[in-house]
Amino acid sequence: QVQLVESGGGLVQPGGSLRLSCAASGSILSVNAMGWFRQPPGKEREFVAAIRGSDERTYYGDPVKGRFTISRDNAKNTVYLQMNSLKPEDTAVYYCAVRSTLLGVTTPVGWNAWGQGTQVTVSS
């Protein structure tokens, strides 16, 4: 099993930036992709970004393209989400996740482990 611990959430003004971190531990050799999802209040969980371990190919949801950047530090078993130009509609609980398969990384289905979530609030 893989354990995930997220950090870096908080309150930020519109136009501001935040960086989320997610540290993985446990059976990390089985991890082939790491990703971020978010769940706004009263809405379903949605895809934000993912990165493959083999070639570091990245994927982004349409609402965050050009504003968010996903990256990973293999030495630290950590994935990051740099969020710039934040908007009020980015307000959500952000979840880190890992999976062993590479197909379907943009859907919430098939991820093997999830973090506990970290709140991001964008408000003036």
Side-chain angles (χ1 to χ4, degrees):
Q1 292 186 344
V2 177
Q3 293 78 43
L4 302 170
V5 178
E6 299 127 332
S7 61
L11 173 64
V12 64
Q13 293 186 343
S17 298
L18 279 176
R19 189 177 83 153
L20 305 182
S21 300
C22 174
S25 61
S27 302
I28 57 176
L29 291 179
S30 64
V31 173
N32 284 312
M34 303 183 75
W36 291 94
F37 288 77
R38 67 186 183 186
Q39 189 161 14
K43 297 184 179 181
E44 295 184 350
R45 193 168 297 188
E46 64 179 17
F47 172 72
V48 176
I51 184 167
R52 302 197 317 192
S54 57
D55 55 8
E56 298 200 358
R57 177 177 176 178
T58 57
Y59 305 80
Y60 294 96
D62 287 341
V64 308
K65 283 181 180 177
R67 300 188 297 122
F68 291 11
T69 302
I70 189 171
S71 61
R72 62 187 290 169
D73 184 334
N74 291 328
K76 296 181 179 180
N77 297 320
T78 299
V79 63
Y80 304 97
L81 185 68
Q82 178 67 43
M83 304 185 294
N84 298 329
S85 303
L86 282 162
K87 305 175 181 179
E89 51 264 44
D90 294 318
T91 295
V93 178
Y94 283 71
Y95 296 91
C96 172
V98 296
R99 65 187 293 142
S100 56
T101 59
L102 297 178
L103 295 178
V105 295
T106 62
T107 73
V109 179
W111 293 82
N112 302 111
W114 294 84
Q116 80 284 358
T118 185
Q119 177 70 46
V120 171
T121 302
V122 184
S123 175
S124 56

